[in-house]
Amino acid sequence: MISALDVPLDLSQPPTITQQSPKDYIVDPRENIVIQCEAKGKPPPSFSWTRNGTHFDIDKDAQVTMKPNSGTLVINIMNGGKAEAYEGVYQCTARNERGAAISNNIVIRPSRSPLWTKEKLEPHQVREGDSLVLHCRPPVGLPPPIIFWMDNAFQRLHQSERVSQGLNGDLYFSNVQPEDTREDYICYARFNHTQTIQQKQPISVKVFSMDSLNDTIAANLSDTDIYGAKPVTEKQPTLLTPTGSTSTKVELRGNVLLLECIAAGLPTPGIHWIKEGGELPANRTFFENFKKTLKIIDVSEADSGNYKCIARNILGSVHHVISVTVKAAPYWITAPRNLVLSPGEDGTLICRANGNPKPNISWLANGVPIAIAPEDPSRKVDGDTIIFSHVQERSSAVYQCNASNEYGYLLANAFVNVLAEPPRILTPANKLYQVIADSPALLDCAYFGSPKPEIEWFKGVKGSILRGNEYVFHDNGTLEIPVAQKDSTGTYTCVARNELGKIQNEVQLEVKDPTMIIKQPEYKVIQRYGQVSFECIIKHDSTLLPTVIWLKDNDELPDDERFLVGKDNLTIMNVTDKDDGTYTCIVNTTLDSVSASAVLTVVARPNPPFDLELTGQLERSVELSWIPGDENNSPITNFVIEYEDGLHEPGVWHYQTEVPGTQTTVQLKLSPYVNYSFRVIAVNEIGRSQPSEPSEQYLTKSANPDENPSNVQGIGSEPDNLVITWEPLKGFQSNGPGLQYKVSWRQKDVDDEWTSVIVANVSKYIVSGTPTFVPYEIKVQALNDLGYAPEPSEVIGHSGEDLPMVAPGNVQVHVINSTLAKVHWDPVPLKTVRGHLQGYKVYYWKVQSLSRRSRRHVEKKILTFRGNKTFGMLPGLEPYSSYKLNVRVVNGKGEGPASPDKVFKTPEGVPSSPSFLKITNPTLDSLTLEWGSPTHPNGVLTSYVLKFQPINNTHELGPLVEIRIPANESSLILKNLNYSTRYKFYFNAQTSVGSGSQITEEAVTIMDEGKMAMASRQVDIATQGWFIGLMCAVALLILILLIVCFIRRNKGGKYPVKEKEDAHADPEIQPMKEDDGTFGEYSDAEDHKPLKKGSRTPSDRTVKKEDSDDSLVDYGEGVNGQFNEDGSFIGQYSGKKEKEPAEGNESSEAPSPVNAMNSFV
């Protein structure tokens, strides 16, 4: 059994329909009707037709002919026939001795484009904000027309969220606006089949509001309509279509589903779509007509369901649910396929279709219902299947399967051809196949035979049969090698055999290396007259001969010696504008082709436009057109139009307007009495072109001025005048010769007549003898020899200001704290301001400090408060001081008189830090402190507070001691201090308000002189030789002690201070001076740094680490303890430190020189 293989035409076979007209065939009534029916068969089939179910005898109709050797009918309409006479259902039958095939039922209908019926259309009068529907109601045509709305000028009406066309062709307004008023709303119906357009009568729409109701409209309305009308109000959404809350929609499978919701409301509602209980299908859902239309393409039964549209604006929402049911015309699941059987074979024809509702399956044999067809004992019908058993040659026939439901039908022809034929291979012998590596190779073995032959493939002369996943064996005999490799090259043998014979055929396969471009041309941007080169380096199979072709813009390269084609490149010399474009390198072989492209862009400013032409010259306008110059590969973005006024400003070009780069004409507005010339400049991203040549000149006629001077002002320069100024008109604004100005003024709110003067060539006029600062109405009107400009608008000016007459009264001061006060005053009467009130100025100054009776230079301060403000804050005052202030009103002329001086005092504050702190006369156990009083006491000093604490070698701070000192003291001697100890001091002053900022210092008590003498003797001994040896032994001992101390310290133990000091002996200790017995100075320059000042102590009386760091790192002396007689230090270091009120940073500070020297004794 062979299924779906073509039977060679030299063998007997039933007819097969190869071509036919569509089922629904709409024809043009003006042209001949051609109904196609083509078929093949052996012997060649004959053709017959039925029309409306009965035999159609074409021999009896002179207008109908059938094409030779064909079943196609030609109905001659152009020679007198009428298409309507041939409307009907046609079916073609192709018949030969082995069976009969039939075509679909072909419904012939001539297209129709009827005219609109005459109707009288009443104008629509609609209130602003209401909704409106303009009905189209086009004539019923075949096929249905395409609807669109236009105006009288054949311009499509602009549509938006507010105004749009529905699916039925009606024009919907969600709310009407005044701009919707027009008389030419025209609905057009375009019938594409006949290429005709029909037009509806224009519809007039008048939009009115209560503010614009005229007597005519009022006459057409009742009193209720008029007096009950309200201004335009916002409206909640309502649906214009569809109506109600629910509706239904049926659509066929595979079609496009269109759902529509159009709403009324103000503001215009927005539309939102959802599918209840599901999601809108991705990739098939589209929104059209400003989201008013939901479009789902290729619908299926799964798209059935409820779709909800929601219209919403700020006032609310409304929704509508559309229940969609998707039905289906019949569609194939398994269409019947031709059968070729050998005598005695079995076979089946299967016809399976689906649809909604499920289609009915019926069978025909040779065009006759199978129930009444001649009996065939080998045939058995079982629903959608025909079973054939032990067929004989007489079983050959054509069977038709018809699947139909209420939405359509399917008709399929499938023949059963009973033949006994040995195998034949239709592919030519030794056919050579060449493919590129890694691509599929398809080796043909077209065959036929009955019974159906079996196909086997072999590789090589004695190769084994091919099997496995690396091969694909197609039903038509083709061998596919999905990914051919180089080793796939060779001879392949196809063998076809059935019970009647065997045949084989050999084909050759060669696999070649692919051609590749290993260096592709790249995008280039080049300036004019440069040189550019594109590379194209290739790799190819050695047995293939590649050819390289260069194209420019998919065409041959220009015949120009500037283009040099090399082996691997293309070079262009002296590049010009015309060389820009896309250059493609194409490499061809007999098996493959590869290409690579690159763009060459020659950039430059555009060339200037040319051929400027003035047309449509009117008094106030003219149309200018031009031809753009070459844009030089950078699109022109816009055109700039400039003009020259040869009458007033010859040689000066002014900007007129600009238009997009796609526009080459512009309507220009003109002014009278100007001799115009125009020029055009093209602009692209590179820059501006040179200006075009000027157009011809056009002198406009003179006219009255169109406009009056701008920026008219009236401001007095003196108390008794009014200076009127204006911006004069430019020359082209004069509209004619003799430009002058009529200046008019009168006092406002006084029943005075206008006073006017006419002036020329000025922009200022001074009116003298005016009252001080009174308002005037002012207007300036332009005129020329032809007349006046339109009546100018009035502006308000004022005559000159004078100084204010009155000072603010009732000045009050409220002291908020020691540095801030608030001042109040009563506003002055506006009449006494005699000008524009600009604000108030407060003058204030310090008279004296209450803590110091000495006077100083008075520096007045000024604060300005804008507008009619009657209070203000005075910041930055000094505590405990006496101040005076006054207030003055300010206008444009200046300041008025001052109010009486107001005295106020600020309370005490905390003092500043003492001016200095010096520490002198250090002894073994005392220090002398001297200080200066605060620069700014800010009150009466009550006392000084001194705090101090010792600092040990590790920069730790000891206990804090506090002393209060009477305010009248300026020095203090501190006694009972530890010798050779550093101390840190904190000093501040106090008033009754509190403590001021503190100042800090550090100082050291001196060493004991006895210890110093001992150190001196040791230094003298150190100069002896025997002592040097002793010191070496001691140094070795110190090294051992260092090691032991390090081990013990790591174990957390304690060790004597003396051992630590011995281990850390300073090698830089200088010998004592022999003349005075004092120590030599340290070599470190930091010993001479001054004591640090200006540090502060926190309020909790602790000292920050950075404070101690600053003071201690500069000094290497000071020991927090006492010495024994042998010079060793009393006490031991401990791993636990005593907590003090203030702590400092730890550091590895060098030991005292005295301790170091005593350790050697």
Side-chain angles (χ1 to χ4, degrees), residues 918-920 922 927-929 949-951 977 980-985 1001-1006 1091 1115 1117:
K918 294 193 299 184
I919 303 175
T920 60
L927 292 170
T928 300
L929 279 68
Q949 57 191 151
I951 308 172
L977 302 175
S980 189
T981 301
R982 180 177 300 281
Y983 288 90
K984 188 164 187 176
F985 298 92
E1001 272 294 359
E1002 294 183 8
V1004 184
T1005 57
I1006 67 174
L1091 298 176
Y1115 303 96
E1117 58 191 31

Short mmCIF file of all heavy atoms in Angstrom, two decimals, residues 918-920 922 927-929 949-951 977 980-985 1001-1006 1091 1115 1117:
data_model
loop_
_atom_site.label_atom_id
_atom_site.label_comp_id
_atom_site.label_asym_id
_atom_site.label_seq_id
_atom_site.Cartn_x
_atom_site.Cartn_y
_atom_site.Cartn_z
N LYS A 918 48.62 81.70 81.93
CA LYS A 918 50.07 81.48 81.93
C LYS A 918 50.46 80.74 83.20
O LYS A 918 49.91 81.02 84.28
CB LYS A 918 50.83 82.79 81.84
CG LYS A 918 50.64 83.54 80.52
CD LYS A 918 51.67 84.66 80.35
CE LYS A 918 51.53 85.68 81.47
NZ LYS A 918 52.46 86.83 81.27
N ILE A 919 51.42 79.82 83.07
CA ILE A 919 51.93 79.06 84.22
C ILE A 919 53.43 79.35 84.33
O ILE A 919 54.18 79.07 83.39
CB ILE A 919 51.66 77.56 84.06
CG1 ILE A 919 50.17 77.31 83.87
CG2 ILE A 919 52.19 76.78 85.26
CD1 ILE A 919 49.81 75.88 83.58
N THR A 920 53.83 79.94 85.47
CA THR A 920 55.22 80.39 85.64
C THR A 920 55.77 79.86 86.95
O THR A 920 55.07 79.24 87.76
CB THR A 920 55.28 81.93 85.61
OG1 THR A 920 54.47 82.43 86.69
CG2 THR A 920 54.75 82.48 84.28
N PRO A 922 57.92 77.41 88.00
CA PRO A 922 57.80 76.03 88.49
C PRO A 922 58.85 75.74 89.55
O PRO A 922 60.00 76.17 89.44
CB PRO A 922 58.02 75.22 87.22
CG PRO A 922 58.86 76.08 86.35
CD PRO A 922 58.44 77.49 86.62
N LEU A 927 53.45 75.61 91.37
CA LEU A 927 53.38 76.33 90.09
C LEU A 927 52.58 77.59 90.30
O LEU A 927 51.64 77.64 91.11
CB LEU A 927 52.71 75.47 89.02
CG LEU A 927 53.45 74.22 88.55
CD1 LEU A 927 52.52 73.37 87.69
CD2 LEU A 927 54.69 74.59 87.77
N THR A 928 52.89 78.65 89.59
CA THR A 928 52.17 79.91 89.68
C THR A 928 51.33 80.07 88.41
O THR A 928 51.84 79.96 87.30
CB THR A 928 53.13 81.10 89.81
OG1 THR A 928 53.92 80.92 91.01
CG2 THR A 928 52.35 82.40 89.90
N LEU A 929 50.00 80.32 88.58
CA LEU A 929 49.08 80.52 87.47
C LEU A 929 48.66 81.98 87.40
O LEU A 929 48.31 82.59 88.44
CB LEU A 929 47.82 79.66 87.64
CG LEU A 929 47.92 78.19 87.23
CD1 LEU A 929 48.84 77.44 88.19
CD2 LEU A 929 46.54 77.55 87.21
N GLN A 949 44.73 67.99 86.87
CA GLN A 949 45.00 66.61 87.17
C GLN A 949 46.35 66.23 86.61
O GLN A 949 46.81 66.78 85.62
CB GLN A 949 43.91 65.71 86.55
CG GLN A 949 43.75 65.86 85.08
CD GLN A 949 42.50 65.17 84.55
OE1 GLN A 949 41.95 65.59 83.57
NE2 GLN A 949 42.08 64.10 85.19
N PRO A 950 47.07 65.29 87.33
CA PRO A 950 48.40 64.89 86.87
C PRO A 950 48.31 63.93 85.67
O PRO A 950 47.29 63.31 85.44
CB PRO A 950 48.99 64.18 88.09
CG PRO A 950 47.80 63.63 88.81
CD PRO A 950 46.70 64.64 88.60
N ILE A 951 49.42 63.83 84.93
CA ILE A 951 49.53 62.93 83.78
C ILE A 951 50.77 62.08 83.97
O ILE A 951 51.86 62.61 84.19
CB ILE A 951 49.64 63.71 82.46
CG1 ILE A 951 48.50 64.73 82.33
CG2 ILE A 951 49.64 62.78 81.27
CD1 ILE A 951 48.65 65.64 81.15
N LEU A 977 52.48 70.12 95.19
CA LEU A 977 52.44 69.30 93.99
C LEU A 977 53.58 68.30 93.98
O LEU A 977 54.58 68.49 94.68
CB LEU A 977 52.51 70.18 92.73
CG LEU A 977 51.43 71.25 92.58
CD1 LEU A 977 51.71 72.10 91.35
CD2 LEU A 977 50.06 70.61 92.49
N SER A 980 58.68 66.90 89.48
CA SER A 980 58.91 66.26 88.17
C SER A 980 57.64 65.59 87.65
O SER A 980 57.67 64.48 87.15
CB SER A 980 60.05 65.23 88.26
OG SER A 980 60.39 64.78 86.96
N THR A 981 56.51 66.29 87.74
CA THR A 981 55.22 65.74 87.34
C THR A 981 54.52 66.73 86.40
O THR A 981 54.54 67.94 86.62
CB THR A 981 54.34 65.47 88.55
OG1 THR A 981 55.01 64.55 89.42
CG2 THR A 981 52.99 64.88 88.13
N ARG A 982 53.93 66.17 85.33
CA ARG A 982 53.17 67.00 84.39
C ARG A 982 51.73 67.11 84.88
O ARG A 982 51.12 66.14 85.32
CB ARG A 982 53.18 66.38 82.99
CG ARG A 982 52.40 67.20 81.95
CD ARG A 982 52.50 66.58 80.56
NE ARG A 982 53.86 66.49 80.10
CZ ARG A 982 54.56 67.51 79.60
NH1 ARG A 982 53.99 68.70 79.53
NH2 ARG A 982 55.80 67.35 79.21
N TYR A 983 51.17 68.33 84.75
CA TYR A 983 49.78 68.60 85.14
C TYR A 983 49.06 69.25 83.98
O TYR A 983 49.64 70.01 83.20
CB TYR A 983 49.72 69.53 86.36
CG TYR A 983 50.13 68.88 87.65
CD1 TYR A 983 51.47 68.90 88.07
CD2 TYR A 983 49.19 68.23 88.45
CE1 TYR A 983 51.86 68.29 89.24
CE2 TYR A 983 49.57 67.62 89.64
CZ TYR A 983 50.90 67.64 90.03
OH TYR A 983 51.26 67.04 91.18
N LYS A 984 47.77 68.92 83.91
CA LYS A 984 46.90 69.57 82.90
C LYS A 984 45.87 70.40 83.65
O LYS A 984 45.25 69.92 84.60
CB LYS A 984 46.20 68.53 82.03
CG LYS A 984 45.44 69.15 80.87
CD LYS A 984 45.09 68.14 79.80
CE LYS A 984 44.49 68.81 78.60
NZ LYS A 984 44.21 67.85 77.51
N PHE A 985 45.69 71.68 83.18
CA PHE A 985 44.83 72.65 83.86
C PHE A 985 43.68 73.03 82.95
O PHE A 985 43.84 73.21 81.74
CB PHE A 985 45.63 73.90 84.24
CG PHE A 985 46.76 73.61 85.18
CD1 PHE A 985 48.03 73.31 84.69
CD2 PHE A 985 46.56 73.62 86.56
CE1 PHE A 985 49.08 73.04 85.57
CE2 PHE A 985 47.61 73.34 87.43
CZ PHE A 985 48.87 73.04 86.93
N GLU A 1001 45.81 74.39 79.77
CA GLU A 1001 47.27 74.50 79.69
C GLU A 1001 47.87 73.27 80.37
O GLU A 1001 47.20 72.58 81.14
CB GLU A 1001 47.78 75.78 80.37
CG GLU A 1001 47.82 76.98 79.46
CD GLU A 1001 48.84 76.85 78.35
OE1 GLU A 1001 49.54 75.81 78.29
OE2 GLU A 1001 48.92 77.77 77.51
N GLU A 1002 49.16 73.03 80.12
CA GLU A 1002 49.91 71.97 80.78
C GLU A 1002 51.24 72.53 81.28
O GLU A 1002 51.80 73.44 80.64
CB GLU A 1002 50.16 70.81 79.83
CG GLU A 1002 48.90 70.08 79.40
CD GLU A 1002 49.22 68.90 78.52
OE1 GLU A 1002 50.41 68.58 78.39
OE2 GLU A 1002 48.26 68.30 77.97
N ALA A 1003 51.75 71.98 82.40
CA ALA A 1003 53.03 72.42 82.97
C ALA A 1003 53.64 71.28 83.77
O ALA A 1003 52.94 70.32 84.15
CB ALA A 1003 52.84 73.65 83.85
N VAL A 1004 54.95 71.39 84.07
CA VAL A 1004 55.70 70.34 84.75
C VAL A 1004 56.45 70.94 85.93
O VAL A 1004 57.09 72.01 85.79
CB VAL A 1004 56.70 69.65 83.80
CG1 VAL A 1004 57.41 68.50 84.50
CG2 VAL A 1004 56.00 69.18 82.55
N THR A 1005 56.36 70.31 87.09
CA THR A 1005 57.21 70.72 88.23
C THR A 1005 58.62 70.23 87.97
O THR A 1005 58.85 69.28 87.23
CB THR A 1005 56.67 70.12 89.53
OG1 THR A 1005 56.60 68.71 89.39
CG2 THR A 1005 55.28 70.66 89.85
N ILE A 1006 59.62 70.91 88.61
CA ILE A 1006 61.04 70.58 88.32
C ILE A 1006 61.50 69.42 89.17
O ILE A 1006 60.81 68.99 90.11
CB ILE A 1006 61.94 71.81 88.52
CG1 ILE A 1006 61.96 72.18 90.01
CG2 ILE A 1006 61.46 72.98 87.68
CD1 ILE A 1006 62.94 73.30 90.30
N LEU A 1091 53.87 74.92 75.17
CA LEU A 1091 52.72 74.22 75.74
C LEU A 1091 51.51 74.50 74.90
O LEU A 1091 51.29 75.61 74.43
CB LEU A 1091 52.49 74.68 77.19
CG LEU A 1091 53.64 74.38 78.17
CD1 LEU A 1091 53.31 74.97 79.52
CD2 LEU A 1091 53.91 72.90 78.27
N TYR A 1115 56.29 65.66 74.86
CA TYR A 1115 57.20 65.67 76.02
C TYR A 1115 57.57 64.26 76.39
O TYR A 1115 56.72 63.39 76.45
CB TYR A 1115 56.54 66.37 77.22
CG TYR A 1115 56.11 67.79 76.87
CD1 TYR A 1115 54.82 68.06 76.47
CD2 TYR A 1115 57.03 68.83 76.91
CE1 TYR A 1115 54.43 69.35 76.14
CE2 TYR A 1115 56.64 70.11 76.58
CZ TYR A 1115 55.35 70.37 76.19
OH TYR A 1115 54.98 71.62 75.87
N GLU A 1117 59.22 63.60 79.43
CA GLU A 1117 59.56 63.61 80.84
C GLU A 1117 58.32 63.56 81.69
O GLU A 1117 57.21 63.57 81.19
CB GLU A 1117 60.38 64.86 81.16
CG GLU A 1117 59.63 66.14 80.81
CD GLU A 1117 60.54 67.36 80.86
OE1 GLU A 1117 61.73 67.19 80.59
OE2 GLU A 1117 60.07 68.43 81.19
#
